[in-house]
Amino acid sequence: MNFDEIKNKALDLAEQNHEKVDQGVDAAAGFIAGKFGHEQQVDSVAEKIKDILPGG
């Protein structure tokens, strides 16, 4: 398997499971904000990540 095949497979899985991926991004953002603060900045980055991912 080459890199492009792996990338395409990952993008397909992310698109098929976008709700779970979004929940994971939100959970990670909550953890980071709780640990380090800066909640607004962390939430902004999390939203940008979800916008970039397929199915978002």
Side-chain angles (χ1 to χ4, degrees):
M1 219 177 216
N2 66 33
F3 178 76
D4 285 333
E5 290 173 339
I6 294 169
K7 180 186 83 165
N8 291 335
K9 180 87 169 166
L11 290 173
D12 288 344
L13 288 172
E15 187 171 7
Q16 292 171 9
N17 298 293
H18 68 87
E19 291 175 3
K20 289 182 182 180
V21 173
D22 286 354
Q23 290 173 352
V25 170
D26 288 338
F31 173 78
I32 292 168
K35 188 95 170 158
F36 301 105
H38 306 285
E39 186 172 339
Q40 285 182 314
Q41 292 88 346
V42 172
D43 287 344
S44 175
V45 170
E47 289 303 315
K48 288 177 183 176
I49 289 170
K50 291 190 288 188
D51 288 344
I52 291 170
L53 293 172

